[in-house]
Amino acid sequence: QMQLEESGGGSVQAGGSLRISCVASGPLTAMACMAWFRQAPGKQREAVATIARDGFTYYADSAKGRFTISRDDAKNILYLQMDNLEPEDTAMFYCAAEQAAAYCSTGRAAQRFDYWGQGTQVTVSS
């Protein structure tokens, strides 16, 4: 069982930056796939970035060039650096982990992930 806890969300103006974090209760390298999802009101949860155990990263088109997923294996922390934020990025952001995954991309469905955090709110004003 792995617990995940996100932090670092907040309110920023369009064009600003935020870095959100996800502290895991166990080694991130035990997970085949780590991901950041977001869910805006009235919308489906969508993956914005994933990182595989081997370090390969994948981004949704909306995140490419603006978001960077990374992890600190020594501290068991997953990060999402978000730059040039837009009002459309306003959402609850969730950290997720899947223990055994055949692949790890932003196309992977949310229901495949085994562990979830409680979420951290990101609000971007225009």
Side-chain angles (χ1 to χ4, degrees):
Q1 194 79 5
M2 176 175 276
Q3 282 78 48
L4 303 171
E5 184 173 356
E6 303 92 337
S7 64
S11 297
V12 295
Q13 289 193 322
S17 297
L18 274 178
R19 187 178 78 163
I20 56 178
S21 303
C22 171
V23 178
S25 62
L28 297 182
T29 52
M31 299 291 121
C33 185
M34 299 290 302
W36 284 102
F37 282 79
R38 68 183 178 188
Q39 188 167 19
K43 294 189 176 181
Q44 285 192 332
R45 193 170 293 193
E46 62 173 353
V48 295
T50 61
I51 184 166
R53 183 185 285 123
D54 58 9
F56 272 88
T57 58
Y58 302 86
Y59 296 93
D61 288 344
S62 59
K64 286 178 183 175
R66 301 189 301 126
F67 293 2
T68 304
I69 188 171
S70 63
R71 65 177 196 233
D72 185 331
D73 291 340
K75 296 181 180 178
N76 296 330
I77 301 177
L78 183 73
Y79 298 103
L80 186 68
Q81 175 69 40
M82 301 182 287
D83 299 316
N84 195 21
L85 282 159
E86 303 167 350
E88 293 73 23
D89 295 316
T90 295
M92 186 72 80
F93 280 72
Y94 299 91
C95 170
E98 185 176 355
Q99 194 159 5
Y103 64 93
C104 180
S105 74
T106 52
R108 197 150 184 83
Q111 55 262 38
R112 291 189 175 272
F113 285 81
D114 303 303
Y115 306 108
W116 290 86
Q118 301 274 1
T120 187
Q121 177 68 37
V122 172
T123 302
V124 185
S125 58
S126 57

